[in-house]
Amino acid sequence: MVVSLNNTGTQVTEFLMICFPGMQDTQHWLSVALAPLLVLALGANFVLLLVIWQEASLHEPMYYLLAILSLLDVILCLTVIPKVLFILWFNMKPITFAGCFLQMFIMNTFLPMESSTFLVMAYDRYVAICHPLRYPSLITEQFVINAAIFIVLRSFLVTLPTPVLAARLNYCASNVVENCICANISVAKLSCGDIYINKLYQFVSVWCLLGSDLVLILLSYCFILRAAMRLHSAGAATKALSTCGSHLILILFFYTLLLVFIFTNKAGKKVPSEVPILLNVLHHLIPPALNPIVYGVRTQEIKQGIIRLLKYHN
């Protein structure tokens, strides 16, 4: 909706989300894939959280970090995907001005939180494999509390200016967002002002947060690989490489999907606009669906906890 201001201009009070501009007649078919993935992501993460909460043997730092990751996944899913499905199913395109920037704030804050959580988990595995004798003294419940505070403050302080800068712009013309999500640039480009600062700050903040996390994670796994290869027991080396390998694949998938989205978005007209939009949606859905499944299957204690939970309810 656009309202007049003293007959001299207009002001946007809500936005209209046009999910896939070139697929308006067929886009509802995407819900056939998105809805089951949402159910899988929420179900798997809630089961993982419930198992960690109920099983006393899982009340350890490593599993607390998994719980933090699952909680972040649930929040990101619920922030983005239900609105996307409402658009696809019921054509519910409007979103309030405040609601749009709240969604933008949560996305811009919680994605770096997830990246930071992967970094802390990589450090946890590094200490467990490279310095096993020091693990009990270094990775404690207090460490998890300090890590959680670090994750929240780091992401909040660095990403808060992104939605604030976007919300302060003057939206006096079109209110049609060609996206399923209130992404920063998709919304900011509708304003009547200069958005150079918005683009620059998003670029710098994303690469400072996610870029530094990715470098440190890869460095940690290089040390882990070197330590695992030096283990005298072939069985211990295989187990360490198998466990950390599956974790690294998930982490790389998280960053790869994000990087592909960024580069396709920068490619502009060379790539159909539907591609980066779909990648943005999937980035809020596929990692949350895969994380609890892989961590649950690869971690014997969690697998046993899930079995006991299912037996108890049967």
Side-chain angles (χ1 to χ4, degrees):
M1 180 180 295
V2 180
V3 297
S4 298
L5 293 178
N6 299 326
N7 297 322
T8 60
T10 57
Q11 181 63 45
V12 170
T13 60
E14 67 177 20
F15 295 101
L16 296 179
M17 313 295 292
I18 307 297
C19 256
F20 300 97
M23 300 171 55
Q24 290 296 294
D25 296 332
T26 58
Q27 64 180 12
H28 60 277
W29 288 107
L30 288 172
S31 63
V32 174
L34 296 182
L37 278 174
L38 176 62
V39 173
L40 175 62
L42 294 179
N45 280 288
F46 279 128
V47 167
L48 183 60
L49 287 168
L50 184 60
V51 169
I52 293 174
W53 178 55
Q54 287 193 342
E55 291 289 327
S57 61
L58 299 181
H59 293 175
E60 296 180 4
M62 181 178 72
Y63 303 111
Y64 291 147
L65 292 173
L66 280 177
I68 292 173
L69 181 64
S70 282
L71 187 60
L72 293 174
D73 282 338
V74 168
I75 292 173
L76 282 169
C77 272
L78 292 178
T79 299
V80 172
I81 306 304
K83 177 60 179 177
V84 174
L85 291 176
F86 284 148
I87 295 172
L88 298 180
W89 284 339
F90 309 114
N91 206 32
M92 294 176 61
K93 298 177 182 179
I95 184 171
T96 65
F97 190 88
C100 185
F101 289 103
L102 176 61
Q103 186 189 72
M104 186 188 299
F105 167 73
I106 293 174
M107 288 189 302
N108 281 277
T109 304
F110 281 77
L111 275 176
M113 283 187 191
E114 188 160 352
S115 174
S116 299
T117 304
F118 280 129
L119 174 60
V120 177
M121 292 171 69
Y123 175 72
D124 170 85
R125 292 299 86 202
Y126 162 75
V127 175
I129 294 175
C130 299
H131 304 283
L133 297 179
R134 299 181 61 192
Y135 185 85
S137 60
L138 290 177
I139 310 299
T140 62
E141 290 189 3
Q142 186 60 48
F143 167 81
V144 175
I145 294 172
N146 293 338
I149 295 172
F150 162 76
I151 289 169
V152 171
L153 289 181
R154 176 179 184 253
S155 301
F156 181 84
L157 293 176
V158 174
T159 60
L160 179 61
T162 298
V164 170
L165 287 170
R168 288 174 60 87
L169 293 170
N170 181 28
Y171 295 91
C172 60
S174 174
N175 66 335
V176 177
V177 179
E178 294 187 352
N179 204 329
C180 298
I181 301 172
C182 285
N184 176 36
I185 303 304
S186 296
V187 176
K189 70 181 183 181
L190 299 178
S191 72
C192 304
D194 184 11
I195 63 171
Y196 173 76
I197 297 299
N198 301 67
K199 291 181 176 180
L200 178 63
Y201 189 83
Q202 175 170 286
F203 178 82
V204 172
S205 62
V206 165
W207 286 108
C208 284
L209 287 175
L210 303 186
S212 62
D213 287 346
L214 181 57
V215 169
L216 292 173
I217 288 170
L218 293 176
L219 188 61
S220 296
Y221 278 96
C222 285
F223 286 125
I224 290 172
L225 178 62
R226 186 180 68 175
M229 297 301 291
R230 291 178 177 177
L231 291 175
H232 298 294
S233 170
T238 302
K239 182 179 179 182
L241 290 174
S242 176
T243 301
C244 292
S246 60
H247 295 180
L248 183 59
I249 289 172
L250 280 180
I251 292 169
L252 291 178
F253 183 80
F254 172 85
Y255 288 102
T256 300
L257 194 57
L258 183 62
L259 289 173
V260 170
F261 160 68
I262 291 173
F263 287 124
T264 53
N265 206 27
K266 292 294 182 184
K269 295 181 179 180
K270 296 179 181 179
V271 177
S273 61
E274 290 78 12
V275 174
I277 294 173
L278 181 60
L279 287 172
N280 203 356
V281 172
L282 292 178
H283 190 256
H284 291 81
L285 192 55
I286 294 181
L290 291 180
N291 289 339
I293 295 174
V294 173
Y295 282 115
V297 170
R298 302 296 300 181
T299 307
Q300 190 65 28
E301 293 82 1
I302 293 178
K303 189 190 301 183
Q304 292 173 352
I306 293 174
I307 293 172
R308 283 193 291 269
L309 180 66
L310 294 175
K311 287 182 178 178
Y312 174 79
H313 285 285
N314 286 335

